[in-house]
Amino acid sequence: FIRAIVKTAENNGIDCYGFIDGYRGLLENNYVQLCTSATGNAIGILPKGGSIIGSSTNSNVFCYPVEENGETVYKDLSDKCVENIKNDGIDCLFTLGGDGTQKSARDLSLKGINVIGVPKTIDNDVACTEITFGYNTAVAVAAEALDRLHTTADTHHRIMVLEVMGRYAGWIALESAIAGGADVALIPEIPYDIKVVAKKIKENQKTGKEYTIIACAEGAISEEDSLLSKKKYKAKVASRQGRSVAYEVAEQLQELIPNEIRVALAGHIQRGGNPCSYDRFMATRFGVYGAYLLLNKDFGKLVVFDKNEIKAIPLSETAGKLKFVD
Ligand code: F6P
C-alpha cells in the first residue's frame, strides 16, 4: 500500500510522510519522508511483510495510556494529534488498519482533519469491505499449517487442534479450514457444543478415518460460555492464565474420546513473512485509489472492495462496526 500511494502521489507532485508506529508517531510527531527514488525507503518493499514505518497496538489517541504517579490512566490526547497535523502542514492523513484504527480515523475527521482510511488487517473483519489486505496471506499460512498437521494426525491417529487468529470473527478459521481440509471449524460466531465435535470424530472413525483436524479461532466460545455475562466470561478467560481456547477444547474433548489430542498455535506466524500475490495486488489497488481520493479532495472516506470494485464509503458507515461470518 505504501509503495502504491507514494508512487501515485509522487507522479502528481505530492510529498508523503509516514508517522512512525502509526498513531503513536502522530502523537509524538515522529515521522519520516517516504519516497521511491532509486535509494528511497518506499521502493523494493512489495514482497515484504509488516510495515516500513512500524505499527502500534493499543494506541488509541482518544483513550491513551499515560503513567501518572505510578499508575496508568487513560487520556484523550487527540487534540495533540490535530495540532501536529496542522503544524506539520499535512493535507491528508491515511490510516491503515482494522476497526480500531478506522474508528479513530472517523473521530479525527470529526475534528476537522482530512482523513482517508484503508482496511488493513489479517482478520478481514472491517465492516463494509469484502476484503482487507493481509487476510489472504494469513489464510494461506493457516491452510498450509493444516496441510502439514495432516501428516502426524494421519500417521499417529490423532486429533489435532490448530488455533488461528480471529478474536471476534472467524474468517481465517473458516476459510483455512475449507482450504486446508479440516473436519471442524470453531468460530466465535457459532458457539460450539463439544459433544457435537466428539460426534464428528467418532463418525470419522466409523468410516475408517482415524484422525480429525480441527481449526479453532482464538475467539471460539462454547455454548455454555456464550451464556455468561461479559464480566464473567472475561474472568473465565483470565483464569486460563494465558492458555488459549484451543487447550480448553482439547481438554473438553479428552473427556469424551480416548484418542491422543495435540494442540498447535499458528499465532503470529500468520501475520508475518512475504505477502501472497493477491494481497500485493489488492494493497496496490487500494493505494492507487486512495491517492486518487486525495487528488479529488474526497476526504472522510474508507477505501473498500465491494462486488469486485474498489470504491469509497464514508468513514461514519464503517466506524465502530465489525464484519462477522453470517
Ligand atoms: O487484529 C489483528 C490480530 O492479529 C488479531 O487477530 C489478534 O487477536 C491480535 O491481532 C493479536 O495481537 P498481538 O500481536 O498484540 O498479540
Side-chain angles (χ1 to χ4, degrees), residues 48-108:
K48 288 191 184 162
S51 169
I52 54 164
I53 49 173
S55 180
S56 50
T57 318
N58 302 327
S59 287
N60 179 358
V61 294
F62 291 84
C63 186
Y64 200 81
V66 180
E67 292 300 315
E68 255 180 23
N69 308 324
E71 263 183 51
T72 306
V73 291
Y74 291 85
K75 293 199 162 170
D76 180 354
L77 302 180
S78 57
D79 283 343
K80 178 74 186 136
C81 297
V82 171
E83 194 185 306
N84 289 343
I85 290 170
K86 290 194 174 151
N87 289 344
D88 294 338
I90 288 165
D91 299 304
C92 175
L93 177 74
F94 283 88
T95 53
L96 286 61
D99 59 304
T101 302
Q102 306 314 340
K103 194 160 177 267
S104 295
R106 188 268 320 264
D107 294 341
L108 283 173

Side-chain angles (χ1 to χ4, degrees), residues 2 16 23 33 36 45 64 108 113 147 177 183-184 187 190 197 211 214 229 265-266 269 299 305 308:
I2 291 177
C16 295
Y23 282 120
Q33 181 154 17
T36 66
I45 59 174
Y64 200 81
L108 283 173
I113 299 300
D147 281 351
D183 303 276
V184 177
I187 62 174
I190 307 175
V197 182
Y211 67 91
I214 301 170
S229 66
L265 305 180
I269 294 168
F299 303 122
F305 186 65
N308 218 19

Side-chain angles (χ1 to χ4, degrees), residues 11 20 47 65 67 78 112 224 231 240 244 255 302 307 325:
N11 286 343
I20 301 299
E67 292 300 315
S78 57
E224 305 85 73
K231 200 173 158 198
R240 286 187 192 138
S244 54
E255 285 174 17
L302 178 78
K307 299 187 186 67
V325 174

Side-chain angles (χ1 to χ4, degrees), residues 1 4-5 118-119 129 131-133 281-291 303-305 310-311:
F1 176 86
I5 199 151
V118 189
T129 183
I131 282 292
T132 61
F133 55 91
F281 172 60
M282 291 307 285
T284 303
R285 291 183 72 185
F286 276 104
V288 173
Y289 194 89
V303 184
V304 297
F305 186 65
I310 300 273
K311 49 183 161 185

Side-chain angles (χ1 to χ4, degrees), residues 57-58 98-99 120-123 125 164-169 172 218 267-268 270-271:
T57 318
N58 302 327
D99 59 304
K120 179 219 59 78
T121 162
I122 65 163
D123 295 340
D125 59 356
V164 299
M165 281 186 175
R167 233 177 310 178
Y168 308 111
I172 298 177
E218 65 176 314
H268 292 82
Q270 294 158 96
R271 222 166 63 178

Side-chain angles (χ1 to χ4, degrees), residues 160-311:
M160 302 299 248
V161 185
L162 175 71
E163 187 176 294
V164 299
M165 281 186 175
R167 233 177 310 178
Y168 308 111
W171 295 106
I172 298 177
L174 185 60
E175 203 170 313
S176 66
I178 294 169
D183 303 276
V184 177
L186 303 178
I187 62 174
E189 291 88 338
I190 307 175
Y192 67 84
D193 176 349
I194 203 69
K195 292 197 274 317
V196 176
V197 182
K199 192 165 160 249
K200 174 70 186 167
I201 294 169
K202 286 176 192 155
E203 276 168 17
N204 274 353
Q205 289 165 344
K206 267 191 212 145
T207 65
K209 185 179 176 191
E210 290 187 68
Y211 67 91
T212 294
I213 311 260
I214 301 170
C216 173
E218 65 176 314
I221 184 166
S222 66
E223 279 179 353
E224 305 85 73
D225 285 355
S226 71
L227 301 174
L228 295 176
S229 66
K230 253 190 180 170
K231 200 173 158 198
K232 283 197 174 145
Y233 180 62
K234 236 180 146 185
K236 155 118 204 237
V237 170
S239 75
R240 286 187 192 138
Q241 295 184 321
R243 268 162 71 89
S244 54
V245 67
Y247 291 98
E248 192 169 290
V249 167
E251 277 156 23
Q252 290 167 341
L253 269 180
Q254 199 69 88
E255 285 174 17
L256 303 175
I257 50 153
N259 307 65
E260 282 185 328
I261 307 176
R262 293 288 187 273
V263 171
L265 305 180
H268 292 82
I269 294 168
Q270 294 158 96
R271 222 166 63 178
N274 301 344
C276 67
S277 53
Y278 185 76
D279 274 336
R280 299 179 199 189
F281 172 60
M282 291 307 285
T284 303
R285 291 183 72 185
F286 276 104
V288 173
Y289 194 89
Y292 282 117
L293 287 178
L294 162 66
L295 291 169
N296 290 318
K297 299 190 174 19
D298 195 358
F299 303 122
K301 297 285 172 68
L302 178 78
V303 184
V304 297
F305 186 65
D306 182 32
K307 299 187 186 67
N308 218 19
E309 208 190 318
I310 300 273
K311 49 183 161 185

